[in-house]
Amino acid sequence: DHILQRYHQVHREQLPELIRMARRVEAVHRDHSEVPAGLADALEAMEQELLSHMHKEEAVLFPMLRAGGNSFATQPIAMMRHEHNDHGEALEQIARLTHDITPPLGACNTWRALYAGLAQLRDDLINHIHLENNVLFPQFEAAQQAAPVARGGCGGASGCGCS
């Protein structure tokens, strides 16, 4: 519930406004040498990826985890970890386009607000991914690794057929 309210909802609110501001900055300052050309498109792609990712978590993975997890939980967790890596790459692209989210000297209010919002998105997304990868997911992955021992066998890992 914390992840849904603190991160999923916030990302859904952040991105449309950031996209709007990026489009404006790119249009108004298109001749400026430091304009973040392509930023709005990169943010739109990120928004689509995040919306799809969050939907999978909300519709499949989180309900599974709320029910205590099961042997199938490791598959969607692995997929979410892979997508988290993709989100990290998207953040790297944004950093490249924006000189590490540093507005140029004399940037207008919209440009500065855009970069402040991008810094907040970056921090939120990093914290969001950390919370899932390093706090939430390991609880269920550890339970699955311990399950064969709890059943009194090796889980068939050695080919002995005891599972």
Side-chain angles (χ1 to χ4, degrees):
D1 289 336
H2 171 70
I3 291 170
L4 295 176
Q5 293 172 1
R6 171 58 187 92
Y7 297 106
H8 287 204
Q9 188 57 37
V10 171
H11 296 325
R12 285 185 174 102
E13 293 167 3
Q14 289 170 321
L15 281 159
E17 181 63 11
L18 292 172
I19 292 165
R20 184 193 67 74
M21 285 191 290
R23 289 244 179 264
R24 183 168 179 189
V25 166
E26 286 181 67
V28 171
H29 301 286
R30 66 184 157 271
D31 295 330
H32 192 288
S33 64
E34 294 184 56
V35 71
L39 178 61
D41 290 341
L43 288 169
E44 282 184 345
M46 176 185 243
E47 179 184 40
Q48 291 310 308
E49 292 299 319
L50 274 172
L51 290 173
S52 172
H53 176 87
M54 293 185 301
H55 175 74
K56 288 181 260 187
E57 287 181 339
E58 293 164 3
V60 178
L61 181 58
F62 289 176
M64 186 183 298
L65 299 182
R66 276 193 182 108
N70 59 46
S71 61
F72 300 109
T74 56
Q75 293 169 339
I77 287 173
M79 175 62 78
M80 295 302 102
R81 285 183 181 277
H82 176 75
E83 291 181 9
H84 288 165
N85 292 339
D86 293 343
H87 301 322
E89 291 173 14
L91 288 175
E92 289 173 10
Q93 179 186 16
I94 289 169
R96 282 190 304 273
L97 291 170
T98 62
H99 304 285
D100 201 24
I101 311 179
T102 304
L105 292 174
C108 70
N109 289 337
T110 302
W111 203 333
R112 288 195 318 270
L114 168 63
Y115 280 29
L118 290 173
Q120 184 65 52
L121 172 67
R122 177 196 58 207
D123 293 348
D124 285 347
L125 190 54
I126 288 169
N127 289 330
H128 175 186
I129 290 169
H130 165 75
L131 187 58
E132 290 182 2
N133 282 357
N134 301 311
V135 178
L136 179 63
F137 296 163
Q139 296 173 47
F140 295 92
E141 292 165 326
Q144 282 307 305
Q145 291 171 353
V149 174
R151 289 192 302 263
C154 69
S158 64
C160 69
C162 72
S163 60

